[in-house]
Amino acid sequence: MGMRGIMKNFGGQRGEPVSVPDAEAAAARAGVLDAKQRLSMFDALENAGISWFWATDDTGVLTYLSPAAIEKFSGDRPVVGELLGSLVETVEGSESANRTRPLAFLLSARTTFIDQPVRIGGSKEGEAKTDEAWWALTGKPQFTKGGDFLGYRGSVKDITSAYHAEQASSQAAEYDSLTKLANRHRMSRRLTAVLNAYRVEKRSCALLMLDLDRFKQVNDTLGHPAGDELLRQVSDRLQQIVPEEAEIGRIGGDEFQIILPDQDDRGKLGELANRIIQMVSQPYSIEGSRAIIGTSIGIAVAPYDGIEPDELVKATDLALYAAKGGGRAQFRFYSNDLKESAEDRREIEEDLRDALAQGQLEMHYQPTVDAKTHKVRSFEALMRWNHPSHGSISPATFIPIAEESNLIEQLGEWALRQACEDAVQWPDGITVAVNVSAQQFVSDNLPKVVESALSSSGLPAKRLELEITESVFMGDVDATDLMFKKLSKIGVKLALDDFGTGYSSLSYLRRAPFDKIKIDQSFVRGCAQKDNSGAAIVTAIVSLARAMNMSTTAEGVEAMDELKCIAGLDADMVQGFIFSRAVPQDAVLDKLASGELCYEPVGPAKHRSARKTLFRRVGVIHEDHHYTAMLRDLSRTGARIEGLVDVPVGTQLVLDLGEGQLIVGTVRRSQDATQGLSFEMPLVSDGAGGLCTRHRVSPYMLAAAGMPLRSLPPGHYTIPSQQGTGSSTPIFMQVDVTAGSLRAG
Ligand code: C2E
Ligand code: MG
Ligand code: MG
């Protein structure tokens, strides 16, 4: 139908007895303008583009549209009839469908609508957006006096630019302007939408939470623009690694979140997390400076760890917290125990505030001896905390907490003073080594604190050695160099601790005046074994140190073969349990008073990795019966259990490790109440040095078996047991095994 035809149609309708629009009626009542004048005003409005008009017939076919509006779509544009079709279609299919009602629906309902936004022309989804226009459509149905529907009349406003402005502001409301990733608001909406949909379809969804390690240091020292650039680069790297179906968001400062739909394989999730950690930890080049950060990752999977979005988010938070507490650059899966350990940690943090005042802290000293003569050269001061209810807490646990809660400066100062006071009582040639956290190192106070500890104790500066780790080099270059200068000026010695575990850039060694490198125990561990690269690395570090006029100490020597190997590799000094653990000052003084300054190596011939003895209660399912047994040993591929008597070799059992972790295994060895099982599918790393199953039994399946459908309740958790219900008969006798004693149960 041509444009002229439309107009004729429209004109034809005008003469008919219709219920006139309100505005017209009002004008008519006012009697100011006659019909001709009104028509010319209408034309003027239309031609000026202030308002356009449209009309349909009773079948919904467009019969009129202002020429100026049609002109917008002349040439290659679709003819008017098609235009209406596309209006309806795009409104229905567009994102705004939930805000606006479909035009076809509105028209068929024969009701009045006002400023209904519709998309005109433009391209279908997936095509480049060209010539897209948005109109606000107002329409009023027209009826005969008898009530027969005649069609619609209405007006059109072009709202394209207003619409685009609104889109841009909602873009700003949904996306992070810095990284262009989704923001917290969008991620939270997405997670809710995905979880709601997946709950119905019983699908799984993983949530990963990342927090950058040491980002604050870079931001503080290189400046905020550099921090921004770093975040952009991190986001680029994340987008490269993360699967396409995942959504990545930045939900705050240096926190990122990844929603990964349909993934519940903890083997794959662990691999992905490791890949992310590796990628994020590669050095960044920012405005000519080099920056190194890391990331910790917490992972939780719906529906196993939570069904509601807030439950799942809380679970990833706890897992992330545990990953950071575990020493950073690690990932953790959520497990029910984490709730408990998070509470423990909070308690530790609170108690740590008073520990010093309550006299619960103590310094112990571990000797470092000459690798050849075994004569003591120095003692390393290691902090000990005797907690009134938890007993002795490792510094590996409480030092990171002290660092996070700003207690480290206070603890560090106390350690320095105490160590100096103790060391003055030792013979002249013996030094004391004190650990200094990177956070103390960036504090301007450190030189003053060191000087004061020396002068009040009377210890000569050359007898104090400060042990620092490579993490101090993550800070501002100038400030770090200045601190090194100030400390050297005081005359204390400097040692680089745990060398080889961090980023081990040789430039660090050149930049700082170290007297000593401490080779991390991971290289010493098993360096005597064949095919171990530890020995090659130790050799390299030793020759490097020698070339730079630094001495070397091998840390963590425990076994005879390790000692022999380390001495053979020419390290200067050795520290490790093979000579002594850290002991209180009294024990040091006793040893020194004897005049015997050499230590005898005492230890196993070969290093044996500490075997975790597990005494954990697990469920064992055989046929229809649920037994309880003790887990004595667990490896990737098998386990040893105790508690069932005379189970034949070849029997298939299912181990229930709790929290929906079921493992199918076959009995390979069996003697009395002990069975060795091999697993059908190997376990995977849980990120914390432990093991977990790849997959879990979903709460939906458990719900089918009678459990309530919600996320797993806290505490040890087994699948519903049918024991005692009488519906199944046990085939094996179950015995109660407590700490090795056998009692018939
Ligand atoms: P570090 O400075 O590397 O200290 C050496 C750690 O290795 C000590 O653990 C020591 O007991 C342990 N070790 C020594 N020989 C052996 C061995 O043969 N085998 C094994 N398996 N371990 C051995 P500790 O005392 O638990 O301290 C852990 C970390 O806590 C220290 O690592 C240090 O980084 C930090 N730390 C301890 N005291 C302080 C302190 O006063 N201030 C600061 N800032 N950090 C401290
Ligand atoms: Mg140390
Ligand atoms: Mg160390």
Side-chain angles (χ1 to χ4, degrees), residues 266 304-306 315 318 333-343 657-661 696 711-718:
R266 289 190 285 185
Y304 312 93
D305 304 319
L318 279 175
F333 292 117
Y334 171 78
S335 81
N336 285 329
D337 320 334
L338 292 183
K339 243 182 253 166
E340 234 169 81
S341 62
E343 274 153 28
L657 296 189
E659 297 184 59
Q661 302 189 87
R696 285 172 281 175
S711 62
L712 305 178
H716 187 67
Y717 176 91
T718 54

Side-chain angles (χ1 to χ4, degrees), residues 601-681:
V602 179
K606 278 187 168 38
H607 181 269
R608 234 178 286 121
S609 60
R611 223 166 173 213
K612 266 195 210 155
T613 322
L614 297 159
F615 297 104
R616 192 173 140 200
R617 223 170 258 284
V618 292
V620 179
I621 302 160
H622 178 252
E623 293 187 344
D624 242 3
H625 199 79
H626 196 279
Y627 304 87
T628 307
M630 279 292 184
L631 185 66
R632 293 297 190 205
D633 230 329
L634 184 69
S635 74
R636 264 172 204 273
T637 52
R640 196 158 53 87
I641 56 165
E642 208 177 339
L644 300 187
V645 182
D646 290 336
V647 182
V649 167
T651 307
Q652 280 229 330
L653 298 174
V654 176
L655 281 195
D656 180 357
L657 296 189
E659 297 184 59
Q661 302 189 87
L662 297 187
I663 320 170
V664 179
T666 307
V667 175
R668 298 292 178 204
R669 273 163 293 117
S670 181
Q671 197 185 5
D672 303 330
T674 304
Q675 282 81 40
L677 297 183
S678 70
F679 298 153
E680 193 170 76
M681 196 192 240

